[in-house]
Amino acid sequence: MIDIRLLREDFNTTKTALQRRGVETADIDRLVFLDEKHRRFTARRDQLRSEIKKLSAQISALRRSDKGETVDQLTAKSKSLSNEEKAVSAQAESVNSELRSLLLILPNLPDPDCPDGLTAESNVIIRSYPTRLPEYPLHQRVPHWDIGKELDILDMERGAKLSGSMFPLYKGMGAALVRALTSFALDLHADTFTEIQPPTLVRTQTMMGSGHLPKFSDEAYQVERDDLWAIPTAEVPLTSMFADEILEQSDLPILLTAHTPCFRREAGAAGSKTRGLLRLHEFNKVELFGYVTQDQAADVHSDMLRRAEELCKKLGLSYRVLDLCAGDMGLSAKRTYDVEVYAPGCDQWLEVSSVSWCGDYQARRANIRYRSADRVNQFVHTLNGSALAWPRIWAALVETYRLEDGSVEIPQCLQHYMRGVGRITK
RNA sequence: GGAGGGAUGCGAGAGUGGCCGAAUCGGGCGGUCUCGAAAACCGCUGUGUUGAAAGACACCGUGGGUUCAAAUCCCACUCCCUCCGCCA
């Protein structure tokens, strides 16, 4: 969440920034109103508590000198103050809880450099690789769901039998391909990122830390019986890994990578954009994550983006990078770059990575700080990015590498991870 | 799943109703001493909210309750440890 003091101390700038993200004026005004009210109540409450404390001390002292009636008098007075304190506390608490719930669904302030706009149409393509989309011959114009069936490496029907639509089942070299991609990526990141294998079912509190709750509860699978949630991305456990901790500045940056399954309900999604592997309830992804100081954020952000792009390049896929506009970014982000690969078979650009700098928004929620050199505690900055989400890569790969005879070539860099197999044939 | 034990500041660990936000030791930081270091000695050293400041208030696993007053008493929960059972 954002620091409420920004609204208090620099109202106009903050309001304008929030409006760029599509926040209603009425909500902003409500926040300011509640903040003032909350401070009034807590001030009164603290004043009452202070008086009660003083009376208690007097009672304690008088008890020893045995002044019965004075003690009774003071006790009665303290009792009535105590009752008032309870009432005021309750009011303060109720205002606080409304304030907090509003704050928890309020988006982060966008980076000033991030493009204006409220919808995906305003996202800016900042580069394409290769600069011009190559010509794809007819044999590369077959969608991956057909290729998967033809080569018997993807069985969406049986996946659906087990779990419903949008749950894929990879088979044979199809399954090996996902595993190869994972190993390839993790090995590539291992130079600077520490590999983590986190739990994939997490507490409500953990989902709150990254910003996935309370606003997006409809998007997540919930294990109600045990009060756990299936993670929609490794970002969730990685964000809360250091929750409620104070790190040393010398520990930073902390750079992590994790391969996990990701679960998304994708409520309401249906139609041509969901065929095959385009949109799934469960998929695998390698994630990059960073805890950094404010000064380190920009470098780590561009390094993560570079890594996502590097993977696309090494896999020989056409891709482009988008600078997301203020209104299209996720709740927690200040600046986001998306990487999209081109899938010639289904003729679509597929988002395979989203690299975000979240400032101190998540750190504030999860209470993650570091002791700076001048011994002042500050919130860390967090960054996350996929590198990469495999099903769409899988799709783009089999479509791009399909040969005239219907077989699919395996890119050189992956063959080592696939027992040396260079081609998937019928 | 059953039985028991525990949770206090950076770490260890006292504290069972009233100057306890918390003894003591260790660690860290600063100083004295030293050519320098070690040792010794002295001092400082939790987090947050609010306030211009002085200050005030909150926090002793979490949430409730009792009381004029709770780290301390009561209730519920969570986590950790030990033993038994079960198990990839």
Side-chain angles (χ1 to χ4, degrees), chain A residues 89-103:
Chain A
S89 277
Q91 283 174 298
E93 199 30 62
S94 119
V95 174
N96 187 36
S97 107
E98 189 186 343
L99 181 63
R100 217 186 136 67
S101 12
L102 273 180
L103 229 37

Side-chain angles (χ1 to χ4, degrees), chain A residues 6-270:
Chain A
L6 291 172
L7 270 174
R8 209 183 288 158
E9 286 156 17
D10 197 1
F11 179 73
N12 288 325
T13 315
T14 311
K15 183 179 182 173
T16 309
L18 285 171
Q19 283 172 326
R20 290 183 72 206
R21 302 240 25 197
V23 177
E24 302 287 331
T25 312
D27 289 337
I28 300 170
D29 293 342
R30 181 81 186 150
L31 276 169
V32 173
F33 169 77
L34 288 171
D35 176 48
E36 275 169 19
K37 202 167 162 188
H38 177 244
R39 278 181 300 149
R40 266 207 316 280
F41 281 131
T42 47
R44 176 66 185 147
R45 183 200 63 194
D46 287 354
Q47 188 193 348
L48 285 165
R49 282 181 179 174
S50 173
E51 286 174 39
I52 291 167
K53 271 191 165 180
K54 280 184 195 116
L55 282 174
S56 280
Q58 286 179 39
I59 291 167
S60 167
L62 285 174
R63 271 269 161 78
R64 269 170 252 142
S65 48
D66 206 23
K67 296 252 177 58
E69 63 281 12
T70 320
V71 169
D72 289 348
Q73 230 178 347
L74 290 179
T75 305
K77 189 176 175 198
S78 182
K79 173 94 181 159
S80 92
L81 285 177
S82 181
N83 286 335
E84 190 183 347
E85 190 272 341
K86 280 198 180 80
V88 176
S89 277
Q91 283 174 298
E93 199 30 62
S94 119
V95 174
N96 187 36
S97 107
E98 189 186 343
L99 181 63
R100 217 186 136 67
S101 12
L102 273 180
L103 229 37
L104 281 173
I105 57 170
L106 199 72
N108 200 355
L109 304 177
D111 182 44
D113 293 338
C114 136
D116 277 318
L118 292 177
T119 63
E121 275 91 76
S122 305
N123 296 339
V124 178
I125 299 171
I126 54 176
R127 63 178 161 270
S128 298
Y129 181 91
T131 323
R132 291 190 53 159
L133 207 53
E135 295 288 326
Y136 291 93
L138 226 56
H139 62 84
Q140 287 176 293
R141 291 296 185 179
V142 179
H144 63 275
W145 48 87
D146 289 340
I147 302 171
K149 202 177 276 183
E150 208 174 279
L151 298 178
D152 198 22
I153 53 174
L154 176 67
D155 188 344
M156 293 303 291
E157 286 77 15
R158 291 211 170 83
K161 177 159 83 179
L162 298 172
S163 308
S165 68
M166 296 158 75
F167 282 95
L169 185 151
Y170 302 94
K171 189 177 172 190
M173 290 316 285
L177 179 55
V178 180
R179 186 162 51 88
L181 286 164
T182 302
S183 300
F184 175 57
L186 287 174
D187 284 354
L188 213 60
H189 301 320
D191 59 339
T192 33
F193 289 73
T194 306
E195 186 174 342
I196 303 288
Q197 204 173 108
T200 52
L201 292 181
V202 299
R203 298 208 158 99
T204 302
Q205 193 53 48
T206 307
M207 289 282 280
M208 290 273 193
S210 52
H212 292 83
L213 284 180
K215 199 175 181 185
F216 304 105
S217 59
D218 285 350
E219 283 297 319
Y221 286 100
Q222 183 176 18
V223 185
E224 227 165 329
R225 184 177 160 137
D226 297 292
D227 196 23
L228 292 168
W229 300 77
I231 58 167
T233 158
E235 176 195 346
V236 172
L238 293 181
T239 303
S240 288
M241 198 171 146
F242 294 101
D244 296 314
E245 294 191 36
I246 302 175
L247 307 166
E248 294 299 331
Q249 177 159 9
S250 55
D251 295 338
L252 302 176
I254 295 174
L255 302 173
L256 308 171
T257 180
H259 167 245
T260 66
C262 302
F263 301 92
R264 301 187 180 181
R265 287 188 68 233
E266 301 291 351

